């Protein structure tokens, strides 16, 4: 198959994928989205020659739009734009999980500092304030009292971008120093890891220690349902443990798997490419010749 | 399981092992690892600057873009 790989930065994750695809004899077209133009009926990339496109853009904003364009051109894309749209926005993710009856932390959104402060006080301390779009734990705040809440809300209001004035306030989940990451392919769990840290943010990107997660039936069921709730695809589903069971707080649509691949015996990238091969075969790329 | 994969896979070298180039920031010589890819980021061991591979063969480096707010998973 001929695979288009959308990127602007080649991380170890992308290198692993490239090596696996090439080692199987697939033709890979690396597409640096910074060099391209995307028109309404075609782009500077010959979409018609591609059997499938994999979005590995590190920038969420680019990911959002390029998936829309390739979907519009009729090329199968992983992940599709509706999945990217839901997963990249914490509000949409929370609503999708809630609508599917999947446990997720209680959340409120407010648009003014005053309303946000009221919501924060209703939750009580500690409470969590997150950006609606963001990754790697950036700009997340665990707020412990009124003084910190007032200061952080004021700071966010002055950051400039309108997204910072969408206050996404969430109950603090007192997890046991760790959270869980499961990589799934259309809902099928491939492998999982436990991410532990002394810090309340336990992203592997921020140096959390990682070890293998044994995926039990409850986790598997939740991952399948969460994947269905956001549209499926290649996903990283994040769970936390609570006294009442698991809760899902995030689903990643351009999931990084290097840290996971380092701790599990499963051939993560091999599984991903197996899945891509099936997807590409199943889809009839009806893209017209649309090169500009 | 992938920890040493790039060092053990055969036939994936995109640039010959130990290709030399210079850092566009400080001018120091840089020896690149094998299997370098356009779009990959490498660090200059002399000045610490993050550099982006913009050409593979011969290797050409440029200053890497700054981390953006929306980067991530």
């Amino acid at each position: 198959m001929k695979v288009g790989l959308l990127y602007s930065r080649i991380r170890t994750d992308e290198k692993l994928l490239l090596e696996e695809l090439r080692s199987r004899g697939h033709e890979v077209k690396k597409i640096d989205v910074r060099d391209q133009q995307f028109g309404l009926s075609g782009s500077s990339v010959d979409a018609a020659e591609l059997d499938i496109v994999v979005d590995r853009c590190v920038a969420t904003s680019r990911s959002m739009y390029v998936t829309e364009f390739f979907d519009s051109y009729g090329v199968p894309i992983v992940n599709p734009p509706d999945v990217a749209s839901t997963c990249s926005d914490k509000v949409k993710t929370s609503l999708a999980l809630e609508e599917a009856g999947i446990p997720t932390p209680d959340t409120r959104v407010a648009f003014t500092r005053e309303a946000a402060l009221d919501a924060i006080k209703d939750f009580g301390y500690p409470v969590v304030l997150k950006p609606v779009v963001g990754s790697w734990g950036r700009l997340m705040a665990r707020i412990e009292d009124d003084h910190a809440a007032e200061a952080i809300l004021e700071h966010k209001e002055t950051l400039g971008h309108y997204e910072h004035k969408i206050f996404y306030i969430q109950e603090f989940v007192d997890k046991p120093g760790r959270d869980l990451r499961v990589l799934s392919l259309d809902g099928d769990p491939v492998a999982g890891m436990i991410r532990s840290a002394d810090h309340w943010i336990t992203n592997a990107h921020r140096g959390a220690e990682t070890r293998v997660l044994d995926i039990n039936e409850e986790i598997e069921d939740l991952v399948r349902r969460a994947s269905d709730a956001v549209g499926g695809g290649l996903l990283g589903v994040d769970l936390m443990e609570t006294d009442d069971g698991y809760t899902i707080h995030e689903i990643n649509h351009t999931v990084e798997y290097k840290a996971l691949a380092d701790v599990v015996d499963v051939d993560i990238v091999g599984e991903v490419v197996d899945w891509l091969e099936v997807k590409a075969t199943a889809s009839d790329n009806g893209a017209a010749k649309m090169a500009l | 399981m992938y920890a040493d994969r790039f060092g053990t896979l055969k036939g994936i070298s995109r640039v010959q092992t130990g290709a030399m180039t210079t850092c566009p920031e400080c001018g120091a010589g840089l020896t690149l690892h094998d299997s370098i890819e356009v779009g990959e980021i490498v660090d200059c061991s002399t000045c610490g600057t993050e550099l982006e591979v913009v050409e593979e063969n011969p290797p050409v480096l440029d200053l890497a873009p700054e981390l953006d707010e929306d980067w991530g998973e």
Side-chain angles (χ1 to χ4, degrees):
Chain A
M1 62 182 175
K2 185 159 186 178
V3 182
L5 187 130
L6 302 169
Y7 78 99
S8 56
R9 173 175 278 212
I10 297 292
R11 297 162 288 181
T12 305
D13 308 82
E14 284 72 47
K15 289 194 76 171
L16 290 167
L17 185 58
L18 287 167
E19 305 307 347
E20 183 68 23
L21 287 165
R22 288 171 180 151
S23 72
R24 295 192 188 194
H26 297 306
E27 190 177 348
V28 182
K29 183 176 179 63
K30 287 169 61 184
I31 303 166
D32 186 340
V33 297
R34 296 171 297 181
D35 299 335
Q36 310 303 328
Q37 301 167 40
F38 299 95
L40 301 182
S41 58
S43 77
S44 50
V45 178
D46 185 0
E49 69 173 351
L50 302 172
D51 297 307
I52 195 164
V53 173
V54 181
D55 165 33
R56 295 298 306 174
C57 291
V58 71
T60 303
S61 52
R62 292 171 183 167
S63 172
M64 292 279 293
Y65 291 112
V66 293
T67 55
E68 291 282 1
F69 278 113
F70 278 97
D71 187 59
S72 164
Y73 302 154
V75 186
I77 182 153
V78 173
N79 285 312
D82 54 336
V83 177
S85 173
T86 302
C87 294
S88 63
D89 185 315
K90 290 187 176 65
V91 175
K92 293 180 182 177
T93 303
S94 295
L95 286 170
L97 291 170
E98 178 71 17
E99 286 167 12
I102 296 164
T104 192
D106 194 9
T107 300
R108 290 191 203 175
V109 169
F111 303 117
T112 65
R113 197 193 319 181
E114 294 76 17
L117 194 57
D118 286 344
I120 286 171
K121 288 179 176 176
D122 282 349
F123 272 118
Y125 298 104
V127 66
V128 176
L129 188 62
K130 297 179 178 178
V132 285
V133 176
S135 298
W136 297 341
R138 285 190 308 268
L139 293 178
M140 283 174 47
R142 169 177 160 165
I143 303 174
E144 300 285 350
D145 58 35
D146 286 353
H147 303 300
E150 290 164 3
I152 291 168
L153 292 173
E154 184 179 0
H155 286 174
K156 285 180 72 72
E157 273 197 332
T158 61
L159 281 176
H161 196 282
Y162 71 88
E163 278 180 356
H164 296 304
K165 300 182 184 68
I166 303 167
F167 300 110
Y168 178 95
I169 303 147
Q170 196 163 67
E171 67 169 313
F172 175 75
V173 175
D174 192 15
K175 60 182 190 278
R178 61 183 184 240
D179 77 347
L180 317 175
R181 157 65 60 88
V182 176
L183 186 138
S184 66
L185 294 168
D186 280 335
D188 292 335
V190 175
M193 65 179 169
I194 300 168
R195 307 182 293 191
S196 304
D198 292 332
H199 198 276
W200 72 282
I201 297 173
T202 49
N203 286 59
H205 190 81
R206 294 174 70 134
E209 291 182 8
T210 54
R211 59 192 167 92
V212 179
L213 168 69
D214 289 327
I215 299 173
N216 60 34
E217 285 184 14
E218 187 179 354
I219 293 174
E220 180 173 344
D221 174 63
L222 282 174
V223 168
R224 286 189 191 284
R225 289 166 55 206
S227 173
D228 287 347
V230 299
L234 165 59
L235 300 173
V237 181
D238 293 346
L239 308 90
M240 293 185 285
E241 299 151 277
T242 75
D243 292 340
D244 301 321
Y246 299 101
T247 185
I248 294 182
H249 57 287
E250 193 170 317
I251 304 176
N252 300 278
H253 73 286
T254 50
V255 57
E256 294 168 328
Y257 38 76
K258 163 67 171 57
L260 180 61
D262 279 342
V263 298
V264 300
D265 289 329
V266 179
D267 180 4
I268 302 281
V269 183
E271 295 268 349
V272 169
V273 173
D274 286 349
W275 177 78
L276 288 174
E277 288 171 343
V278 172
K279 275 229 176 281
T281 305
S283 299
D284 174 21
N285 180 6
K289 298 289 183 188
M290 292 186 289
L292 286 176
Chain B
M1 69 178 291
Y2 293 98
D4 63 346
R5 181 162 176 179
F6 296 132
T8 56
L9 277 178
K10 294 177 180 175
I12 60 170
S13 177
R14 314 274 304 160
V15 169
Q16 64 188 63
T17 305
M20 290 288 298
T21 186
T22 55
C23 172
E25 180 73 3
C26 72
L30 266 155
T31 304
L32 299 170
H33 62 79
D34 58 359
S35 77
I36 205 85
E37 289 274 353
V38 166
E40 188 177 350
I41 306 299
V42 296
D43 294 329
C44 173
S45 56
T46 303
C47 69
T49 302
E50 282 198 330
L51 304 167
E52 178 180 354
V53 179
V54 293
E55 298 282 348
E56 286 175 10
N57 202 0
V60 178
L61 303 174
D62 200 353
L63 300 183
E66 294 287 323
L67 174 75
D68 256 330
E69 192 181 319
D70 69 336
W71 283 21
E73 291 184 292

